[in-house]
Amino acid sequence: MAGKERLLLTGNYAAAYAARDADVDVVSAYPITPQTTVIEKIADFIASGELNAKFVRVESEHSAMAALIGASSVGARTFTATSAHGLLYMYEVVWWASGARLPIVMGLVTRALGPPWSIWSEHADFYTMRDSGWNLFFASNAQEVYDLLLISYGVSENQEVILPSCVGWDAFEVSHTYEPVSVLGREEASRFLPPKGSFKPSLSSEEPGSLGNLAYPPEYLDIRHTMRQASDKVLGVFREAAVRYAKLTGRDYSGMYECYRCEDADTIIVGMGSIMGEAYRAVDNLRDEDMKVGALKLWVYRPFPYEELYKAVQNVDTIVTVSRSSVFGSMSPIGLDFASLIASRGLDAKIADYVAGVGGMDVYAEDFVGMVKDAHKNTGRNVWWVR
């Protein structure tokens, strides 16, 4: 089985190795804490000859995405990474990338938004992309960063999809923490990835055209509807790609989420990212108290895998949703998604919606234990968990 080379890597270095093994053609990015070491490592690969790619140096994140839009439009395999306000600065062209149907892959080191300035993790930046048409995945450790980025190329460059993908991971807890990571290397990765040039570029010298012209309402509707049809195929393509990846590596993401001790659970904690390790510890502690609790960690966030998640929660009494994001005047993003799942499927489960880990605050197993016990008493309101 492939993936036998084990390296000690941070989450950011794992992302750089994924870009190297994907054999990307063009990289463009602007440094921002805590993303910077992703780009520094890729620059090392290019300088040493390990990666034959063009690094386009730019003056801003907006220009970084604009450069990749140009490169991807003519068929190049592309990569960038950013964080927090860097993503917001490139936000206009993030939508251009998806609307133009370009299979760009981006890493997002999640970070709280200012003011006040913060460099620690929160997922508010990630959630700003919910409706942008990008495929959104989330990694909870360095191995998942590497794996999900490679799978992203398998999804984005699929001819039935041709949409950009973003993989998020937590600042510092994942981005700067060293862990053992199995990497494929370029030759093995090429056995999984689509052949370079397999997707038809938007622009070519043989068929001169333009990109991003004014569209009248019927044309705009048709373009957006076609984009939605492509998005509807993403989950099937992801599953197929993940199955092939599992055969190559033994690491299986085809379920789109990981469920821990969920088999007989009447209560499930749902979240994503690095804090879910503490959720698993909380499950063990609560099981010791004879409480039937499980935990569900999302890998795929958009498109939202309704059918797959329905199978996980259809017999559950209480769903404890935990979003690592400041929200005001509403349920949290994950809480809203599960509320729509319950409503659309006619389930009776109660949702207890929590916000935790804002601005990089640690979330411990004891916090998840407290949320579960609180959930069994409260009426399902949105709660900021403040210690």
Side-chain angles (χ1 to χ4, degrees):
M1 182 169 289
K4 292 294 185 182
E5 186 180 8
R6 296 271 282 176
L7 302 173
L8 195 61
L9 301 176
T10 65
N12 281 1
Y13 280 5
Y17 273 81
R20 183 201 68 172
D21 293 348
D23 195 21
V24 298
D25 300 307
V26 178
V27 177
S28 187
Y30 191 80
I32 179 173
T33 302
Q35 157 266 31
T36 304
T37 55
V38 178
I39 304 307
E40 288 177 341
K41 191 63 178 175
I42 291 176
D44 285 345
F45 285 142
I46 295 174
S48 67
E50 287 187 69
L51 175 61
N52 181 21
K54 175 68 175 178
F55 195 117
V56 182
R57 289 183 289 182
V58 290
E59 81 290 356
S60 74
E61 289 85 355
H62 189 285
S63 296
M65 183 56 67
L68 296 193
I69 287 173
S72 185
S73 295
V74 294
R77 180 170 287 170
T78 58
F79 180 77
T80 189
T82 190
S83 181
H85 290 270
L87 174 67
L88 299 193
Y89 197 16
M90 70 163 60
Y91 196 59
E92 177 193 8
V93 274
V94 162
W95 287 70
W96 278 91
S98 52
R101 306 289 303 278
L102 300 171
I104 296 166
V105 172
M106 175 167 65
L108 177 66
V109 188
T110 58
R111 189 187 110 178
L113 299 170
W117 282 117
S118 171
I119 59 172
W120 293 278
S121 190
E122 190 180 315
H123 301 169
D125 49 2
F126 181 80
Y127 290 126
T128 65
M129 299 178 70
R130 275 183 299 179
D131 301 320
S132 66
W134 283 60
N135 311 313
L136 300 180
F137 311 123
F138 211 97
S140 66
N141 55 51
Q143 184 67 67
E144 291 180 5
V145 170
Y146 178 85
D147 294 338
L148 289 173
L149 282 171
L150 284 183
I151 292 172
S152 292
Y153 284 104
V155 175
S156 285
E157 294 184 9
N158 185 287
Q159 199 59 48
E160 292 190 326
V161 175
I162 311 295
L163 285 169
S165 295
C166 172
V167 177
W169 61 92
D170 286 291
F172 298 107
E173 293 145 1
V174 176
S175 68
H176 286 65
T177 300
Y178 279 90
E179 301 174 72
V181 177
S182 295
V183 300
L184 290 174
R186 188 177 305 168
E187 184 176 343
E188 289 293 341
S190 69
R191 294 171 54 193
F192 164 74
L193 295 167
K196 292 176 74 172
S198 59
F199 69 94
K200 184 180 179 182
S202 305
L203 300 175
S204 77
S205 57
E206 288 76 22
E207 299 178 46
S210 61
L211 190 67
N213 282 337
L214 175 69
Y216 285 93
E219 297 161 336
Y220 187 91
L221 171 63
D222 183 58
I223 290 169
R224 278 295 194 261
H225 185 237
T226 303
M227 186 176 160
R228 172 59 190 255
Q229 290 174 318
S231 181
D232 287 344
K233 295 176 180 176
V234 167
L235 296 180
V237 171
F238 178 93
R239 184 183 299 104
E240 185 274 335
V243 167
R244 288 193 295 108
Y245 194 79
K247 290 179 180 176
L248 193 63
T249 66
R251 299 185 292 276
D252 190 358
Y253 298 87
S254 62
M256 305 182 196
Y257 59 83
E258 181 176 74
C259 226
Y260 181 70
R261 304 187 73 172
C262 292
E263 294 77 18
D264 64 342
D266 56 31
T267 300
I268 287 184
I269 305 166
V270 180
M272 58 189 185
S274 60
I275 64 173
M276 292 306 292
E278 289 296 303
Y280 290 5
R281 283 188 57 222
V283 167
D284 292 338
N285 295 340
L286 290 165
R287 288 276 177 174
D288 289 341
E289 298 180 28
D290 294 326
M291 296 179 70
K292 293 182 178 179
V293 179
L296 188 154
K297 179 178 70 178
L298 294 166
W299 285 317
V300 177
Y301 183 66
R302 283 292 184 275
F304 194 68
Y306 283 98
E307 288 301 323
E308 291 75 12
L309 291 168
Y310 168 72
K311 296 170 185 173
V313 303
Q314 59 183 324
N315 298 316
V316 169
D317 297 325
T318 304
I319 302 172
V320 179
T321 56
V322 184
S323 296
R324 192 173 198 179
S325 179
S326 307
V327 292
F328 310 96
S330 170
M331 294 178 71
S332 75
I334 296 177
L336 284 170
D337 288 323
F338 273 81
S340 68
L341 169 64
I342 287 173
S344 64
R345 298 301 187 276
L347 299 177
D348 293 326
K350 178 179 77 173
I351 288 183
D353 187 37
Y354 295 89
V355 167
V358 168
M361 285 292 291
D362 291 327
V363 184
Y364 299 107
E366 294 74 15
D367 297 308
F368 285 106
V369 168
M371 292 177 210
V372 169
K373 293 185 174 179
D374 182 64
H376 288 163
K377 293 183 290 186
N378 78 27
T379 57
R381 67 192 188 282
N382 176 254
V383 176
W384 279 52
W385 194 259
V386 179
R387 278 183 282 113

